[in-house]
Structures are given as C-alpha cells and as structure tokens.
C-alpha cells in the first residue's frame, strides 16, 4: 500500500473481495447475492437451519469473507445467527482445503446434522466433503443437500467427471470484463480522472444440479 500510494501511474487492484480505500481503482467480487440466492432457495424448500463449511486457515482470507457474506445475507433474510452452524474444517498434518472438507463432513455426520443443508464456501472444500460422505454411503441430493461456491463443474471437460454439485458461479469472466470497461473509461479522451473508481462484480448465478 505504501508503494502504490506513491506510484506515479494509475493502479487497478483486481481479484479481491473487499474494498481497500486508497489512491487506486479496484474491481471487487461481491459474494453476498449468490449466497442470498442459495439461502432463499433452501428456505423455499422448508429448511431453517444451515451447515456452513469453511476452513480455519487465516491465509485464505477469501474463505473468511465468504462466511461473512453468508452471515450478512442470512441477517437480511431474518435467519437467526444460531441457525447457522459454521464449521471451519482443519487437518492436523497437512494444510489442505480438501482435507478440511473431509474434517467438516466427519463432524457433520458425527453430530447427526444430515437434515441441515450444506453451504460450502469452496468447491475444493466440497470435494473433500463429498469424498468422506461417499465413504459413508451417503449421497448428495438424497441423504443430504449441498450448495457450493465456485461452480468449477461448469468448466470440467470430461462428462464422466460431472458430480452434479449445485453451485454459485464465481464471476471471474464478469470481473475480467469489468477490468476492460474500467480501462476503457480511464483511457477515454474526455475521462474524468478526479476520482477513483470501484467496480463491484456480484456473484449471482445459482446453478441447481443433483446435489440439491
């Protein structure tokens, strides 16, 4: 931040999910609309309690911000905070988000929470979660419901790898378009450069598949 504050050329911060006030432009991911859509979908199905899966690694700040976005969305939907069971999975040996997902699944089963739909903040956490569940002969969409964040399944090329994970799409393409639009606005001949621009890119696409 100290270096960028003294930079003599315009700076654009990208691939971030919170606003960093300063002398720069920024394109910011907004997670809340996607998680609000997921919660609304599950509320319409009659669910009132939700199991939120994250990990406890402070270096993955985006996971923490996604949990915060879920809590904010739930508050706006009048879902009591005690109805959100937030589990930050961990592994004592390897810092792995997939193993964190397995740890959360073990907790989920041990505490008999199968009636609570699962909202995962990362597809990689989700992979670990469903790996453990499969070992227990528990099937998504049948024995438990799950919505993940990222929608990596959309980009899988091999049809045999399709797992049927319902997911909120991480708007990477929209963010790239926002960067181009921001550049165009800054390079325009009549551009007003007296203020810094912040573009918010909402995650709003919810794709329902077999897991829900």
């Amino acid at each position: 931040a100290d270096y960028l504050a003294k930079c003599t050329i315009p700076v654009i911060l990208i691939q971030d999910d919170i606003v960093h006030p300063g002398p720069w432009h920024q394109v910011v991911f907004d997670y809340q609309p996607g998680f609000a859509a997921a919660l609304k979908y599950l509320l319409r199905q009659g669910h009132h309690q939700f199991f939120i899966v994250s990990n406890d690694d402070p270096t993955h700040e985006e996971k923490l911000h996604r949990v915060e976005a879920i809590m904010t969305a739930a508050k706006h939907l009048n879902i009591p905070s005690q109805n959100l069971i937030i589990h930050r999975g961990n592994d004592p040996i390897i810092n792995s988000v997939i193993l964190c997902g397995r740890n959360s699944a073990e907790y989920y089963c041990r505490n008999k929470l199968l009636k609570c739909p699962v909202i995962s903040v990362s597809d990689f956490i989700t992979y670990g979660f469903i790996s453990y569940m499969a070992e227990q002969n528990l099937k998504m969409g049948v024995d438990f419901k799950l919505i993940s964040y990222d929608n990596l399944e959309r980009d899988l090329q091999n049809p045999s790898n399709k797992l049927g994970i319902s997911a909120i799409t991480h708007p990477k393409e929209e963010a790239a378009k926002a960067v181009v639009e921001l550049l165009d606005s800054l390079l325009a001949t009549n551009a007003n450069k007296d203020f810094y621009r912040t573009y918010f890119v909402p995650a709003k696409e919810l794709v329902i598949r077999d897991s829900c």
Side-chain angles (χ1 to χ4, degrees):
D2 291 340
Y3 172 81
L4 294 179
K6 300 172 185 175
C7 196
T8 58
I9 60 174
V11 174
I12 301 174
L13 302 184
I14 64 172
Q15 299 294 329
D16 210 341
D17 54 11
I18 59 173
V19 175
H20 296 285
W24 43 67
H25 309 282
Q26 194 172 2
V27 175
V28 184
F29 290 116
D30 181 7
Y31 302 134
Q32 195 177 138
F35 287 120
L39 288 167
K40 287 177 184 177
Y41 179 84
L42 295 169
L43 284 169
R44 288 196 297 270
Q45 291 190 332
H47 298 287
H48 301 288
Q49 196 172 44
F50 309 91
F51 187 71
I52 313 302
V53 182
S54 183
N55 65 340
D56 67 350
D57 184 354
T59 63
H60 289 159
E61 288 188 1
E62 78 281 1
K63 307 293 193 305
L64 304 178
H65 297 159
R66 291 173 191 175
V67 171
E68 292 170 1
I70 295 171
M71 295 174 69
T72 301
K75 184 177 180 180
H76 290 163
L77 293 169
N78 297 315
I79 299 171
S81 58
Q82 61 267 28
N83 286 15
L84 302 177
I85 303 171
I86 299 172
H87 189 266
R88 294 177 171 87
N90 61 81
D91 185 85
I93 301 173
I94 302 173
N95 182 12
S96 162
V97 289
I98 292 178
L99 292 179
C100 287
R102 289 183 58 88
N103 174 253
S104 288
E106 189 275 332
Y107 177 93
Y108 182 73
C109 291
R110 186 175 72 249
N111 288 277
K112 299 179 173 60
L113 297 171
L114 287 171
K115 291 184 179 180
C116 292
V118 178
I119 299 178
S120 170
V121 301
S122 159
D123 273 348
F124 292 106
I125 291 176
T126 299
Y127 294 151
F129 192 96
I130 62 176
S131 170
Y132 180 89
M133 300 300 279
E135 291 173 6
Q136 311 307 309
N137 295 315
L138 297 169
K139 187 176 180 181
M140 290 188 300
V142 178
D143 300 299
F144 66 99
K145 295 182 179 180
L146 180 146
I147 296 178
S148 186
Y149 185 89
D150 212 349
N151 196 16
L152 290 177
E153 188 158 331
R154 177 188 62 173
D155 301 321
L156 292 176
Q157 300 301 313
N158 186 349
S160 65
N161 288 336
K162 302 296 185 183
L163 299 172
I165 300 172
S166 299
I168 301 157
T169 300
H170 189 44
K172 291 176 284 189
E173 294 172 7
E174 291 82 355
K177 291 176 183 176
V179 171
V180 173
E181 185 178 333
L182 178 53
L183 284 169
D184 282 343
S185 71
L186 293 172
L187 295 173
T189 54
N190 60 344
N192 182 349
K193 298 181 181 178
D194 294 336
F195 63 95
Y196 295 99
R197 295 165 170 80
T198 299
Y199 281 43
F200 290 92
V201 184
K204 54 188 178 182
E205 181 186 37
L206 174 63
V207 180
I208 299 301
R209 299 191 179 95
D210 297 341
S211 70
C212 218

